[in-house]
Amino acid sequence: MSKSPSDNDVSASNSQEPNSDSTNAPASAASARAEMAQAFKELARGEQQAAALEANLTSLESKLDALLASIEGTPTSLTPEQGEKAHSLKQEPEAKE
């Protein structure tokens, strides 16, 4: 009698599993813990890199905002009233002698 495809799947999956001997169980548990610890270390490093990138992007955004404001002629450190005064001074023609 031939085996059905599902029987082949079961026998194939059983052959891929480690032996269930009591000597292999502690080793596989230790291996799993080591893999988990390594994964957490990599995750923590990735989170640190993401935080550093976010800080760099925030800094870049501030610099771009300042650059854009300087191009538009509106200083970023001035209050709105000071900005309007500076803008009106720029628009007045200079007197030529």
Side-chain angles (χ1 to χ4, degrees), residues 29-47:
S31 175
R33 282 193 296 271
E35 288 178 10
M36 187 67 79
Q38 181 65 28
F40 279 119
K41 285 179 186 177
E42 291 174 5
L43 180 63
R45 190 175 72 222
E47 288 178 351

Side-chain angles (χ1 to χ4, degrees), residues 8 87-88:
N8 289 336
H87 184 69
S88 66

Side-chain angles (χ1 to χ4, degrees), residues 62-95:
S62 297
K63 291 175 183 177
L64 287 173
D65 286 343
L67 181 62
L68 181 61
S70 71
I71 291 170
E72 292 176 345
T74 307
T76 57
S77 61
L78 299 179
T79 64
E81 294 82 20
Q82 291 171 326
E84 288 175 14
K85 183 177 179 182
H87 184 69
S88 66
L89 290 175
K90 282 185 179 181
Q91 291 180 350
E92 291 179 9
E94 294 182 15

